[in-house]
Amino acid sequence: VQLQAFGGGLVQAGVSLRLSCAFSGRTFSSYTLGWFRQAPGKEREFVAGISWDAGSTGYTDSVKGRFTISRDNAKNTVYLQMDSLKSEDTAVYYCAAGRYITLSAGYNYWGQGTLVTVSS
């Protein structure tokens, strides 16, 4: 499995940004997908996850109501729509994939990360 995340950048607080992650190498629709982030000096943390059939989604508390994860099985792509961005959302964002896992842990495959910087 290969994952390539893109869409990061430097934005001002309050605006929106959408991250995308292209998946290849296996059957996309069989995989649970997630987004994680790692801020400077901090450990990597779970942000959002979506089940293989999009029937379940989950979010860390700090992004609930602001971020939305979605997937397009026809395009083999998972998205993270980020609204009302805050400076504390600044981090490198990673997409991840796995099978037979929970939404928040157990991922086997990781993308290279895309940097999101939110200026206040």
Side-chain angles (χ1 to χ4, degrees), residues 1-6 20-33 71-78 95-99 108-112:
V1 171
Q2 292 81 44
L3 298 162
Q4 184 173 5
F6 51 96
S20 302
C21 178
F23 174 107
S24 62
R26 290 291 187 274
T27 303
F28 179 75
S29 58
S30 298
Y31 283 79
T32 295
L33 302 165
R71 64 189 295 160
D72 186 336
N73 285 357
K75 296 183 178 180
N76 288 4
T77 301
V78 59
C95 56
R99 298 184 68 187
N108 309 103
Y109 304 100
W110 297 85
Q112 84 289 1

Side-chain angles (χ1 to χ4, degrees), residues 30-44:
S30 298
Y31 283 79
T32 295
L33 302 165
W35 287 95
F36 290 73
R37 66 186 179 187
Q38 187 167 20
K42 296 186 177 181
E43 294 186 354
R44 186 169 59 190

Side-chain angles (χ1 to χ4, degrees), residues 5-88:
F6 51 96
L10 171 62
V11 297
Q12 291 187 331
V15 303
S16 299
L17 196 64
R18 188 176 80 160
L19 303 183
S20 302
C21 178
F23 174 107
S24 62
R26 290 291 187 274
T27 303
F28 179 75
S29 58
S30 298
Y31 283 79
T32 295
L33 302 165
W35 287 95
F36 290 73
R37 66 186 179 187
Q38 187 167 20
K42 296 186 177 181
E43 294 186 354
R44 186 169 59 190
E45 65 169 348
F46 168 76
V47 175
I50 187 167
S51 61
W52 65 274
D53 62 351
S56 298
T57 57
Y59 301 88
T60 192
D61 286 345
S62 63
V63 308
K64 285 181 180 177
R66 299 189 298 121
F67 289 13
T68 304
I69 189 171
S70 62
R71 64 189 295 160
D72 186 336
N73 285 357
K75 296 183 178 180
N76 288 4
T77 301
V78 59
Y79 304 97
L80 185 67
Q81 176 68 39
M82 305 185 292
D83 299 325
S84 303
L85 281 163
K86 304 176 180 180
S87 57
E88 50 263 45

